[in-house]
Amino acid sequence: MKSNLYFRRVAVIGAGLTLFRRRLLETPQELAWEASRKALDEAGLDLKDIDCVVIGSAPDAFDGVHMKGEYLAHGSGGIRRMVTRVFVGGATGVMVPITAWYHVASGLCQKVLAVAEEKMSPARPHPQSVFRYIWDPITEKPLNPNLIWIFAMEMHRYMYVNKISKEEIALVSVKNKRNALNNPYAQAAGNITVDDVLKSEILVWPVQLLDTSPVSDGAAAMVIVSEDIARRYTDTPVWIEGVGWALDNTEWTGRELTYPRYLEYAARMAYKMAAIERPSKEIDVIEPYDPFDYKELHHIEGLMIAKRGEAPKLLKEGVFDIDGDIPSSPSGGLLGVGNPIAAAGLMKTISIYWQLKGTAGKMQVKKPVHTGLAQAWGDLMQASTVIVMRN
Amino acid sequence: MRIGIVGVGWYGFKPNTREVSFREMMFEAATRAYYDAGNLNPRTDVDTFISCQEDFWEGIAIADEFAPDPIGGAMRPTMTVTGDGLQGILHGVMHILSGLSNVTVVESHAKPSDIKTLRDVIEFAYDPIYGRIGAKNIHFLAGLEATKYMKIRNATREDYASVVVKNKRNGLRNTRAPFSSNLNIDDVTKRDFVVYPLTDLDISRFVDGAVVMVLASEEVARKFNDTPIWIEGIYSATETTLELSNLGEATYMKIASREAYKMAKIDSIRKIKSAFVDDTYSYKELQHIEGLELSQNAVEDLREGEFEIGGKVEVNPLGGHLAGGRALEASGLALLLDAIDYLREGKVDNAVVASWRGIPTFTGAVGVVSR
């Protein structure tokens, strides 16, 4: 990355979410519009004010639509203007605001609507069937692997190398589902115990049902604008101060799964831009990607907020609780709110935006916050996207 | 600030590339582009990477996973734009203008020869509730639009045929044009219709191909190449979806070109001497010329020979898609490659490049390049 950045300041001034649920009746376009309308309303803008639209959606096969960006354009207000869909697998949700950021920072656009939508539930017989076709067609597909198998391998490796127990990891699920009780959009909130997690159905050892996020439909949207525009529409803009992303190679079979090195690279890129030198001291609130409970811990370490293998210890000490030193997933995360893949990543970014704006309602963390971070993860355990925001 | 194209590489542009996988094709194109950019090392010299592809074309549910390795983008900021390659160039320009990068690589590839169910894939691009009519002919929408355009401009079958004749003849000067030939208008009009009013010669054929381009900011471009091709302006636009579109008019091209011209500070359209325009269907070339405002009435100007080599604006002087084939999402980069070749040969000083995403979309991108 260049060191002599001269980019323009970029702010978030509005955001909107739909309910996250399984089998929503709305079409993908309707979901996208519902979130977009809410984001525009919060920003005080109309669709005619928007000059560019960025769309995010993960595999086309979920919605069963080829060229999904073109299809979603209509519902996302992408009519007679610049529209693009970006895609980095499950990490797409945070790539959407990153893309909107460079639309504005480049000077090409002033007011960008960033929209992410996913409708997983129509996939038959189950959304997992879509994941049968993500593998190398020659070397891997004939083995018919399943995504949960490979995440089980990663979880097992993380536990084995760092000597972490299932009980320690289950605390993430307990925390996030509890946090989600405060989130009006949440699908899988609940007051559960470690025992509930340990007694839930085993999917692929060591992954159990309550270690995972649910199948979800939903959409999220943000309004991202230049500094001039932000000052005109709000007294409390939230600034995007650092962005970073990285993709490891495709060959996950040859990768050391204990530590997400690609995430460290992405985080370093974002920290450099945001001038963050000690992430654990300088970041007040985080939304790391948590499709599985172990992933939140894995990502906290990749983000260098905890040392390798030490995230479970900090979790047990309450550092990541809503009233802790670095609240993690105050929204409830994917485990509690739901996981409509791309929309889930943008939901995490929106959670940080609302925290920094002080409008998170019951989700608002107890300590004053000035710097927040959202992160997403995807592809074949190879992609990460990071965004740092300040108020 | 201008953005320089400092290296280009390509592979394929033939109906079938049995000898390589799509990843090998990307690798070949990338190594050639890096060689062209003065033996650039992607692991140290490139800041960001962009790949342009669509899942359904690839037959892989998360095709993005395969983007980094063949282009040297592993453990680097690599992303996918699900769009035409020219839209990828637009994103590369934004990466550089935002200060995010000094050098960005843009890649796009297509391997339609691997697709057994092309008709079904295209059907899936229509709205799932009221757009999927199970049409047996993937070109039916083009037929409707070509008919409407004939009505709007009083165009004839011969006018469309003369676009085919011009482009296939121009393609004889292009190393990437497997469908070039010397035809006359009768050769086109006497063939059976695939869908009225288009024959098979009015419709570009699919080809396999991969293109990689290296973009660099103005301040570092000459480190890699003494004679970069400059991107003066670039923009893309989506008009709407099929249900609400103005069939017969390329409104998306009009919106995109106005912004691209503004960025390139083009005050008079007469300054543009050559155009590399999407001609997936013969009528589309005419429609796109009007969308680019290079002509008020493209049919009349075509009859006057204004789009021939040496004419007012040389349109597709290296054959376009009708001669070179349509490489799905790499189509825009194929047109840009033609423009770069033409500029490097010193034939013209500037060119406009305009791509379209194909049936059933209403999205186009426009770039203005100079030498």
Side-chain angles (χ1 to χ4, degrees), chain A residues 1-2 4-8 27 29 51-52 59-61 64-67 70-71 74 78-89 95 99 101-103 105-106 108 130-131 133-137 243 245-251 261-262 265 269 273 379-380 382, chain B residues 1 23 47-48 54-57 60-66 68-69 73-82 87 90-91 94-102 121 124-125 127-129 132 219 234-241 244 246 251 255 263 329 357 361 363:
Chain A
M1 191 183 71
K2 279 181 67 170
N4 55 335
L5 285 166
Y6 48 82
F7 56 80
R8 299 160 180 85
T27 66
Q29 288 176 330
D51 40 34
C52 300
D60 297 36
V65 178
H66 174 44
M67 295 183 171
E70 303 287 337
Y71 166 71
H74 194 196
I79 294 171
R80 293 179 168 241
R81 45 178 67 94
M82 189 201 287
V83 183
T84 332
R85 173 180 162 221
V86 291
F87 186 32
V88 275
M95 197 68 220
T99 307
W101 170 84
Y102 68 66
H103 272 62
S106 66
L108 256 68
V130 167
F131 295 127
Y133 300 95
I134 66 170
W135 315 95
D136 185 300
V243 300
W245 73 98
L247 256 71
D248 205 336
N249 60 41
T250 318
E251 307 309 325
R261 201 162 50 104
Y262 49 90
Y265 279 41
M269 178 175 169
M273 197 184 292
D379 285 351
L380 280 170
Q382 79 190 98
Chain B
M1 188 173 83
R23 284 192 270 180
D47 300 309
T48 58
E54 282 278 4
D55 281 1
F56 278 32
W57 291 138
I60 295 172
I62 310 178
D64 164 66
E65 298 158 349
F66 297 87
D69 304 23
M75 293 306 280
R76 312 299 307 281
T78 301
M79 63 178 286
T80 292
V81 169
T82 61
Q87 287 176 284
L90 168 63
H91 279 250
M94 288 194 277
H95 281 196
I96 293 172
L97 290 179
S98 67
L100 201 59
S101 88
N102 260 330
V121 172
F124 270 91
D127 186 284
I129 296 170
R132 292 181 190 167
E219 62 211 40
I234 186 162
Y235 212 81
S236 82
T238 296
E239 183 199 341
T240 178
T241 45
L244 302 169
N246 291 325
T251 308
I255 300 165
M263 199 173 158
E329 305 301 359
R357 288 205 69 199
T361 76
T363 294

Side-chain angles (χ1 to χ4, degrees), chain B residues 15-289:
Chain B
N16 205 316
T17 47
R18 285 191 188 90
E19 71 283 7
V20 286
S21 69
F22 76 92
R23 284 192 270 180
E24 288 163 331
M25 208 160 58
M26 291 164 73
F27 176 78
E28 288 293 340
T31 47
R32 291 169 193 195
Y34 300 154
Y35 177 75
D36 192 43
N39 269 332
L40 159 157
N41 180 350
R43 288 170 191 82
T44 53
D45 298 334
V46 177
D47 300 309
T48 58
F49 297 81
I50 296 169
S51 175
C52 302
Q53 52 185 337
E54 282 278 4
D55 281 1
F56 278 32
W57 291 138
E58 305 294 322
I60 295 172
I62 310 178
D64 164 66
E65 298 158 349
F66 297 87
D69 304 23
I71 56 174
M75 293 306 280
R76 312 299 307 281
T78 301
M79 63 178 286
T80 292
V81 169
T82 61
D84 178 77
L86 206 55
Q87 287 176 284
I89 297 281
L90 168 63
H91 279 250
V93 165
M94 288 194 277
H95 281 196
I96 293 172
L97 290 179
S98 67
L100 201 59
S101 88
N102 260 330
V103 181
T104 293
V105 165
V106 180
E107 180 276 339
S108 188
H109 61 271
K111 213 160 187 306
S113 68
D114 271 357
I115 305 174
K116 285 184 177 171
T117 52
L118 201 77
R119 190 202 73 84
D120 302 277
V121 172
I122 292 172
E123 174 85 356
F124 270 91
Y126 288 90
D127 186 284
I129 296 170
Y130 45 84
R132 292 181 190 167
I133 57 170
K136 296 278 181 272
N137 189 329
I138 58 172
H139 306 294
F140 80 92
L141 189 59
L144 284 177
E145 198 177 36
T147 309
K148 183 163 181 193
Y149 184 77
M150 282 171 95
K151 200 168 175 186
I152 294 171
R153 286 284 173 239
N154 284 326
T156 62
R157 275 287 305 120
E158 285 69 24
D159 293 324
Y160 290 172
S162 60
V163 173
V164 177
V165 171
K166 169 178 74 70
N167 289 2
K168 285 189 180 283
R169 188 181 58 233
N170 288 348
L172 292 168
R173 296 143 46 102
N174 189 344
T175 48
R176 284 182 302 276
F179 305 111
S180 312
S181 56
N182 249 327
L183 300 176
N184 59 46
I185 289 185
D186 276 357
D187 292 332
V188 183
T189 53
K190 286 190 175 157
R191 293 176 82 91
D192 289 340
F193 293 121
V194 170
V195 56
Y196 179 82
L198 306 170
T199 70
D200 60 341
L201 294 176
D202 286 280
I203 301 169
S204 59
R205 309 267 182 98
F206 291 111
V207 285
D208 295 353
V211 185
V212 171
M213 294 199 180
V214 184
L215 311 183
S217 64
E218 193 168 11
E219 62 211 40
V220 303
R222 286 201 174 83
K223 184 178 151 195
F224 302 102
N225 194 320
D226 290 336
T227 53
I229 298 299
W230 300 105
I231 301 171
E232 306 280 355
I234 186 162
Y235 212 81
S236 82
T238 296
E239 183 199 341
T240 178
T241 45
L242 172 60
E243 308 84 62
L244 302 169
S245 67
N246 291 325
L247 275 184
E249 294 171 34
T251 308
Y252 48 91
M253 214 55 107
K254 206 169 277 181
I255 300 165
S257 62
R258 278 182 190 161
E259 294 297 328
Y261 295 156
K262 206 189 293 174
M263 199 173 158
K265 298 188 175 65
I266 289 182
D267 45 8
S268 166
I269 216 71
R270 288 174 190 277
K271 287 181 182 169
I272 294 174
K273 293 296 172 200
S274 62
F276 297 80
V277 177
D278 181 279
D279 59 337
T280 298
Y281 300 96
S282 52
Y283 78 94
K284 270 286 175 192
E285 174 169 308
L286 301 170
Q287 198 188 57
H288 287 155
I289 288 170

Side-chain angles (χ1 to χ4, degrees), chain A residues 158-237:
Chain A
Y158 175 64
M159 290 166 64
Y160 173 76
V161 172
N162 295 314
K163 298 181 177 49
I164 297 166
S165 67
K166 277 278 297 172
E167 285 79 0
E168 289 172 296
I169 289 176
L171 283 171
V172 175
S173 202
V174 172
K175 168 180 74 70
N176 289 5
K177 284 179 182 290
R178 188 178 57 226
N179 287 351
L181 289 167
N182 297 322
N183 190 330
Y185 303 98
Q187 173 185 355
N191 250 326
I192 60 166
T193 64
V194 169
D195 247 17
D196 293 332
V197 180
L198 299 181
K199 285 179 183 160
S200 63
E201 183 187 346
I202 295 171
L203 303 178
V204 182
W205 181 258
V207 176
Q208 292 177 264
L209 188 63
L210 289 177
D211 289 314
T212 69
S213 51
V215 169
S216 313
D217 302 344
M222 276 180 127
V223 177
I224 293 173
V225 300
S226 65
E227 182 170 10
D228 287 354
I229 305 290
R231 301 275 186 213
R232 213 178 296 164
Y233 284 90
T234 178
D235 295 327
T236 54

Side-chain angles (χ1 to χ4, degrees), chain A residues 148 151 207 211-213 290-296 335 377:
Chain A
I148 298 182
F151 297 147
V207 176
D211 289 314
T212 69
S213 51
D290 61 327
F292 296 81
D293 45 11
Y294 81 95
K295 283 310 296 184
E296 177 157 322
L335 290 163
W377 163 81

